[in-house]
Amino acid sequence: MLYYLLYEVLHLKYQVFGPFRVFGYPSFRALLAAMTATLICLLLGAPMIAWLRRLKYGQEIREEGVKAHQAKKGTPTMGGVLIITGIVAGTLLWADLSNLYVWVVLFALLAHGAIGFLDDYLKIARRQNLGLQGRWKLLGQVTTALVIGGVLIGFGNYATYLSVPFFKDFQPDLTAWLYLPFMLLVMTGSSNAVNLTDGLDGLAISTTFVVALTLTLLCYVTGLTELALYLNLPPSPPALEVTVFCAALAGASLGFLWFNAPPAEVFMGDVGSLAIGGCMGCVAIVIKQELLLVILGGVFVIETLSVILQVSYYKLTKDPQTGIGKRIFKMSPLHHHFELTGWKESKIVFRFLIVQIFFALVALATLKLR
């Protein structure tokens, strides 16, 4: 909105003020979007937390979970609404809204956020940690991915080949029929991975900040054709505008971390984790870095794999008579395993953050290792 007013109207059309041309640069508007999203979260955070307390929208804790977490019962949840508000505001104010990709990633954010909101609301209404049934949640995620896939392939002049990290000339084309299921896997996998990681104060949002910053850089590089070709990346000029969205995501993450840092004053809930994971997967799809996301989101991938391994091994070793199986970890996801081994919550969060920064550096290194 402000981009259109300050650049398209006042600078280009009426030439009112020459320095307004700075608003034509996506890099500058990305910085403004990040600052806008951060300030919105900081300013609205305290009133929203107080409002959630009045509504008694408190977190329900699983009885079979880590016992120390029972002390967190009743902490306001659904704070993801604050994150989404910051991202949407920052994007709408500073992005070029004529860009299709901007609306695609916004739709991914809002659609996954709606699924998470319904899940959180049902948990609160039922006063137990049982929200939306898994099959309905998956149906919503699948529908969202299919809509996005249909729009990109049908109207976005979108290519269906894959960009494989470390390989310059290996770009297999999946065709539309194979790429749609692959896109579905990327988005639902990313959404659920962030959801699984959101189990400790500040863990999911701090790692999200690192991933969002890296995606901001990747969008910017991908959108500049000459630089993208130099780095052997698939160039996509429309993706340059998604830089503004990713910067808003980073800014909102930073603002929310102010209230979510240990001990958390508010939890993001599924409305936040599903929305963040879904939009990050969508951004990776838009810039053709779906496979790189596996490296970039290393902590989210490890957390997800720990759950898959735990459940699979338990089922494989289940005793037919007792119905009890063996476990690889004390508890999954992995952060709970370290809790039960005696690590303090803050130590786990900081160490996982360090690991996530390392994965981000590895992902950036692949830009030259091709």
Side-chain angles (χ1 to χ4, degrees):
M1 295 178 184
L2 288 179
Y3 160 77
Y4 179 76
L5 174 65
L6 298 174
Y7 183 71
E8 296 282 352
V9 176
L10 295 182
H11 175 65
L12 291 183
K13 186 174 182 180
Y14 295 107
Q15 299 181 349
V16 173
F17 189 51
F20 276 171
R21 65 179 177 273
V22 72
F23 293 105
Y25 296 106
S27 55
F28 181 69
R29 287 185 284 109
L31 290 173
L32 293 176
M35 291 187 288
T36 300
T38 302
L39 288 173
I40 285 176
C41 288
L42 290 176
L43 293 173
L44 298 182
M48 179 171 285
I49 292 171
W51 179 62
L52 291 171
R53 287 188 186 279
R54 287 196 299 271
L55 293 177
K56 297 183 178 179
Y57 279 13
Q59 179 70 40
E60 297 295 327
I61 307 296
R62 292 184 306 162
E63 293 294 334
E64 66 273 17
V66 179
K67 299 303 179 185
H69 285 203
Q70 293 300 321
K72 300 181 181 184
K73 186 174 182 178
T75 301
T77 187
M78 299 179 77
V81 173
L82 179 64
I83 301 172
I84 293 173
T85 302
I87 297 171
V88 171
T91 303
L92 292 181
L93 285 174
W94 300 112
D96 179 0
L97 300 182
S98 65
N99 186 296
L100 175 65
Y101 285 3
V102 170
W103 289 107
V104 166
V105 293
L106 278 174
F107 174 74
L109 175 80
L110 294 172
H112 284 91
I115 298 169
F117 183 91
L118 181 58
D119 188 38
D120 285 334
Y121 180 78
L122 290 176
K123 290 176 184 176
I124 294 168
R126 295 168 178 172
R127 296 296 177 186
Q128 54 182 328
N129 197 36
L130 294 173
L132 193 64
Q133 290 185 4
R135 64 175 179 270
W136 296 115
K137 187 185 297 185
L138 182 61
L139 177 62
Q141 292 172 320
V142 168
T143 303
T144 301
L146 290 176
V147 170
I148 290 172
V151 170
L152 287 176
I153 295 173
F155 304 97
N157 193 26
Y158 186 78
T160 56
Y161 64 84
L162 297 181
S163 176
V164 183
F166 304 108
F167 293 92
K168 180 169 63 174
D169 299 319
F170 182 55
Q171 296 182 333
D173 191 349
L174 298 184
T175 73
W177 295 108
L178 289 177
Y179 191 80
L180 277 175
F182 175 73
M183 182 184 292
L184 188 154
L185 178 64
V186 172
M187 292 188 62
T188 56
S190 177
S191 180
N192 290 322
V194 176
N195 184 243
L196 289 171
T197 306
D198 184 33
L200 298 179
D201 297 353
L203 176 57
I205 199 64
S206 60
T207 47
T208 291
F209 175 70
V210 176
V211 175
L213 278 182
T214 311
L215 286 174
T216 302
L217 179 60
L218 289 172
C219 286
Y220 187 73
V221 170
T222 301
L224 299 175
T225 302
E226 290 186 8
L227 185 55
L229 291 174
Y230 170 73
L231 294 171
N232 292 303
L233 296 175
S236 177
L240 183 60
E241 207 60 37
V242 183
T243 304
V244 178
F245 173 88
C246 291
L249 172 58
S253 300
L254 200 60
F256 184 75
L257 183 58
W258 182 274
F259 303 101
N260 189 237
E265 299 173 57
V266 64
F267 299 140
M268 70 169 69
D270 284 7
V271 61
S273 59
L274 291 180
I276 289 172
C279 74
M280 289 196 305
C282 186
V283 169
I285 289 168
V286 163
I287 63 174
K288 304 303 299 176
Q289 295 300 333
E290 308 94 335
L291 298 180
L292 186 63
L293 185 63
V294 177
I295 300 174
L296 174 57
V299 165
F300 301 126
V301 173
I302 290 171
E303 293 271 48
T304 304
L305 288 176
S306 71
V307 174
I308 294 173
L309 290 172
Q310 183 86 321
V311 173
S312 300
Y313 189 68
Y314 185 86
K315 290 181 177 179
L316 288 172
T317 59
K318 184 181 291 186
D319 188 302
Q321 295 182 341
T322 62
I324 300 175
K326 298 179 181 179
R327 293 177 171 85
I328 300 174
F329 308 104
K330 292 179 180 294
M331 186 179 290
S332 64
L334 189 61
H335 54 260
H336 289 323
H337 169 80
F338 288 114
E339 273 192 291
L340 295 179
T341 59
W343 288 20
K344 291 187 178 299
E345 186 170 345
S346 57
K347 184 181 289 290
I348 298 170
V349 172
F350 277 108
R351 286 183 172 174
F352 274 48
L353 179 58
I354 292 169
V355 172
Q356 179 54 61
I357 293 172
F358 174 79
F359 277 120
L361 293 175
V362 172
L364 291 176
T366 66
L367 298 183
K368 288 299 292 181
L369 299 175
R370 288 173 184 260

